[in-house]
């Protein structure tokens, strides 16, 4: 693994939550250099992560080039996990980890005072053993890619313990594709069981976006951001999109900019394109063109990239006309 890491120019590690089982969703890992997030990745469901080099606009190079770039730009930077309601210890990227031993080890996140919001519901700690057993079995089924088995066990868990916010959340995620109304009810029950649990608000915002219920989406993003002002890339994108649709262009600009600042790998599709549209609406055509050109550095060749090229040409004509 170490030799593979050296050859591929990658760093490896694992996140763990103190006193809590791992969540069902991937956890965010970021590389912070002098106070700015320059790279980010997500764990798998076992808490493991891999960091590869990325340029400012999300492009990657050859493995040998990536290794040189990591050695040049990442030495001395800090790696930390991010789970709302938890405090992460950090690992410093050193010359040794970059050149000899790419495994950063385990980064542990410890519970903070739960005065704010959390991505891990406190109701889980109060779950009776039979409900917890069903919940853990559901997670095993989910990892084994058996959603029907996971759903069956989640329903058992919430029947045994109706205040099981984490189980209601996961049940809603499974129901979302085929039963959106049932999913909405499950997310609402998760929110009612634990009002400081952030993730149900984000899921309800997503459902509202799908239904083009823009004000409802903003109401849910506002709740989530009150609990966790740092937000997440997905949350800021929903907030920006809904505000843009309601004509709140300046506020949408702020939210889209925050999304880009914390998402250097562009894990949320269309976020930078949304910012370009917002800037064009504000008649900042040059700024819009720059962001669309950034998009071309990481979008694969195809219809979406072709559309962006057309948009660039149209906006460049407006820039020329304004001179």
């Amino acid at each position: 693994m170490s030799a593979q890491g050296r050859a591929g120019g990658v760093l490896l590690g694992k996140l763990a939550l103190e006193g809590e089982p791992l969540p069902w969703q991937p956890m965010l890992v970021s590389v912070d250099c002098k106070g700015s997030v320059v790279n980010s990745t997500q764990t798998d469901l076992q808490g493991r992560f891999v960091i590869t080099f990325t340029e400012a606009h999300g492009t990657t190079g050859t493995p040998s080039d990536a290794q040189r770039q990591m050695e040049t730009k990442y030495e001395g930077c800090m790696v930390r996990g991010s789970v709302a309601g938890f405090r992460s210890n950090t690992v410093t990227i050193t010359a040794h980890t970059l050149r000899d031993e790419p495994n950063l080890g385990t980064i542990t996140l410890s519970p903070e005072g739960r005065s704010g919001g959390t991505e891990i519901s406190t109701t889980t700690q109060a779950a009776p053993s039979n409900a917890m057993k069903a919940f853990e079995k559901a997670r095993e089924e989910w990892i084994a890619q058996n959603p029907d088995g996971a759903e069956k066990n989640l329903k058992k868990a919430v029947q045994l313990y109706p205040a099981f916010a984490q189980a209601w959340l996961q049940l809603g995620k499974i129901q979302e594709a085929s039963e959106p109304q049932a999913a909405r009810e499950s997310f609402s029950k998760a929110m009612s069981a634990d009002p400081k649990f952030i993730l149900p608000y984000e899921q309800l915002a997503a459902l509202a976006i799908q239904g083009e219920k823009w004000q409802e989406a903003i109401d849910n993003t506002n709740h989530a951001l009150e609990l966790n002002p740092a937000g997440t890339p997905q949350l800021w994108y929903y907030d920006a999109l809904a505000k843009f649709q309601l004509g709140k262009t300046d506020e949408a600009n702020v939210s889209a900019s925050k999304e880009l600042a914390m998402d250097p790998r562009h894990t949320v599709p269309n976020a930078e394109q949304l910012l370009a549209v917002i800037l064009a609406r504000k008649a900042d055509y040059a700024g819009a063109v720059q962001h669309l050109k950034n998009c071309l550095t990481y979008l694969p060749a195809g219809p979406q990239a072709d559309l962006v090229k057309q948009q660039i040409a149209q906006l460049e004509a407006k820039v020329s006309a304004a001179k």
Side-chain angles (χ1 to χ4, degrees):
M1 184 69 78
S2 295
Q4 184 183 30
R6 288 196 299 274
V10 303
L11 296 171
L12 314 169
K14 187 173 183 179
L15 291 192
L17 299 181
E18 182 182 313
E20 298 280 357
L22 289 172
W24 287 42
Q25 68 276 3
M27 295 177 284
L28 183 67
V29 179
S30 61
V31 179
D32 187 307
C33 298
K34 299 179 180 178
S36 297
V37 175
V38 298
N39 201 346
S40 63
T41 187
Q42 291 183 321
T43 68
D44 62 15
L45 296 185
Q46 305 297 332
R48 298 170 298 200
F49 65 84
V50 177
I51 297 170
T52 56
F53 179 75
T54 182
E55 292 284 5
H57 301 307
T59 55
T60 55
T62 64
S64 59
D65 179 62
Q67 185 176 359
R68 288 194 299 272
Q69 293 281 15
M70 288 183 84
E71 291 177 1
T72 300
K73 297 183 179 179
Y74 286 1
E75 186 175 349
C77 297
M78 311 295 290
V79 180
R80 57 168 54 87
S82 179
V83 175
F86 286 76
R87 176 182 63 258
S88 176
N89 71 335
T90 59
V91 174
T92 301
I93 300 175
T94 65
H96 176 68
T97 54
L98 288 166
R99 298 167 192 167
D100 301 313
E101 177 48 70
N103 197 325
L104 299 171
T106 299
I107 296 174
T108 302
L109 294 95
S110 307
E112 293 183 309
R114 298 293 178 87
S115 57
T118 177
E119 291 181 41
I120 307 294
S121 173
T122 56
T123 64
T124 302
Q125 296 177 344
S129 59
N130 54 355
M132 195 66 202
K133 183 176 179 181
F135 182 70
E136 290 171 346
K137 178 63 176 174
R139 189 176 190 275
E140 292 173 7
E141 296 282 10
W142 181 252
I143 291 174
Q145 300 183 353
N146 179 13
D148 291 340
E151 183 175 3
K152 177 182 176 181
N153 281 283
L154 286 169
K155 287 180 175 178
K156 181 179 179 181
V158 296
Q159 182 180 15
L160 291 167
Y161 178 40
F164 206 154
Q166 203 90 30
W168 281 118
L169 174 78
Q170 304 306 335
L171 179 59
K173 286 185 174 182
I174 292 174
Q175 296 167 328
E176 197 168 5
S178 58
E179 302 176 89
Q181 185 54 42
R184 186 184 303 276
E185 292 171 3
S186 293
F187 295 142
S188 296
K189 288 178 179 178
M191 182 179 63
S192 298
D194 185 354
K196 292 186 177 181
F197 188 26
I198 296 168
L199 299 182
Y201 297 102
E202 185 172 311
Q203 294 300 132
L204 287 167
L207 287 175
I209 292 286
Q210 291 170 19
E212 298 186 357
K213 298 177 180 178
W214 309 118
Q215 187 56 54
E216 182 180 320
I218 292 172
D219 291 343
N220 282 293
T221 58
N222 283 346
H223 280 302
L225 291 167
E226 286 171 4
L227 292 168
N228 177 33
T232 65
Q234 191 68 67
L235 194 61
W236 284 118
Y237 175 72
Y238 291 151
D239 195 64
L241 178 58
K243 287 175 176 173
F244 175 73
Q245 293 292 345
L246 290 181
K248 300 180 179 182
T249 314
D250 290 340
E251 293 178 45
N253 186 11
V254 170
S255 295
S257 298
K258 287 183 177 180
E259 191 288 329
L260 282 183
M262 65 193 309
D263 186 23
R265 281 194 176 274
H266 307 283
T267 58
V268 178
N270 304 324
E272 190 155 20
Q273 287 171 267
L274 173 60
L275 180 56
V277 172
I278 292 168
L279 292 174
R281 179 72 61 85
K282 291 166 62 68
D284 181 359
Y285 302 122
V289 166
Q290 185 57 59
H291 281 291
L292 289 175
K293 287 182 176 180
N294 292 347
C295 292
L296 292 178
T297 66
Y298 55 84
L299 285 175
Q304 189 177 14
D306 291 340
L307 176 60
V308 169
K309 290 176 183 177
Q310 293 174 17
Q311 292 170 332
I312 290 172
Q314 292 168 358
L315 289 170
E316 284 182 333
K318 291 188 177 184
V319 171
S320 299
K323 291 181 179 178

